[in-house]
Amino acid sequence: AGGYETLRLRGRGGVPMLQLYDSDHTPLIQDVLNFGIKSVHQKHTKTMFLVNNGKISAEFHVRRKIPRAFDVSPMLGVVPAGASMPFNITFCPIDNGLVEFDLRFVHNGDHALHIWCQGVGGSGLVELEYLTNKDRKLKGLDFEIYEASPGDVIFFDCFIS
């Protein structure tokens, strides 16, 4: 009556397999998300997807060190196995210049998925360069009188830097 029995256990393990996809549900080829040059105080949002191609759910949270010019939503969540979750990255520059950071999605312990985010704030400064002394004195452009026939196209040199 006090004997031992052998018990055999079987099971399967799995890990979540999170990937970043763009707004077209295509896996990201590059690990950089570039917003380009945007006007100061204007919001620009890109929607992306966290896709879990694994066999178990993936809990994630966004590392909190995000510059003030960026916002990420949602900051945490669960992506079920075989599903995707949209998230938004918003860039709203508060000053002129480059803003960049490493966006990290930490999932299931200490695994991290990351993408480098960057954008440039610009206030739209335009400088005119006058080509002739006459235009410099006028602080404008003197197109003079040109004889042209209907349908003629006339080109003028103009440089904006």
Side-chain angles (χ1 to χ4, degrees):
Y4 293 97
E5 291 189 30
T6 302
L7 180 64
R8 180 183 234 175
L9 298 174
R10 284 180 44 177
R12 289 185 171 168
V15 295
M17 297 177 61
L18 283 182
Q19 283 185 286
L20 290 171
Y21 282 57
D22 65 18
S23 59
D24 297 327
H25 271 335
T26 306
L28 285 181
I29 297 170
Q30 301 178 22
D31 58 353
V32 175
L33 180 61
N34 189 342
F35 280 82
I37 300 173
K38 302 298 179 189
S39 298
V40 172
H41 302 298
Q42 297 294 312
K43 287 185 177 183
H44 306 276
T45 301
K46 294 189 179 193
T47 299
M48 302 184 70
F49 293 88
L50 275 174
V51 176
N52 183 358
N53 292 315
K55 295 185 179 196
I56 63 170
S57 293
E59 294 181 24
F60 74 90
H61 69 274
V62 174
R63 187 188 74 176
R64 297 231 175 244
K65 293 184 180 182
I66 298 175
R68 286 183 23 215
F70 281 96
D71 183 48
V72 179
S73 177
M75 293 291 286
L76 57 93
V78 176
V79 184
S84 67
M85 173 184 274
F87 67 94
N88 291 323
I89 301 175
T90 301
F91 176 55
C92 183
I94 53 177
D95 288 316
N96 291 331
L98 177 67
V99 182
E100 56 188 350
F101 77 107
D102 187 21
L103 174 60
R104 289 186 178 270
F105 293 90
V106 180
H107 62 93
N108 294 75
D110 61 353
H111 300 290
L113 184 64
H114 73 95
I115 184 168
W116 191 255
C117 297
Q118 62 187 29
V120 177
S123 57
L125 177 64
V126 175
E127 294 181 18
L128 292 177
E129 183 177 319
Y130 299 108
L131 300 178
T132 66
N133 286 333
K134 189 175 182 182
D135 291 341
R136 273 188 217 99
K137 287 179 189 172
L138 282 172
K139 293 195 187 237
L141 301 176
D142 180 5
F143 292 103
E144 299 177 3
I145 297 175
Y146 287 93
E147 194 173 313
S149 301
D152 284 354
V153 177
I154 300 172
F155 294 95
F156 297 94
D157 291 329
C158 181
F159 299 96
I160 299 176
S161 60

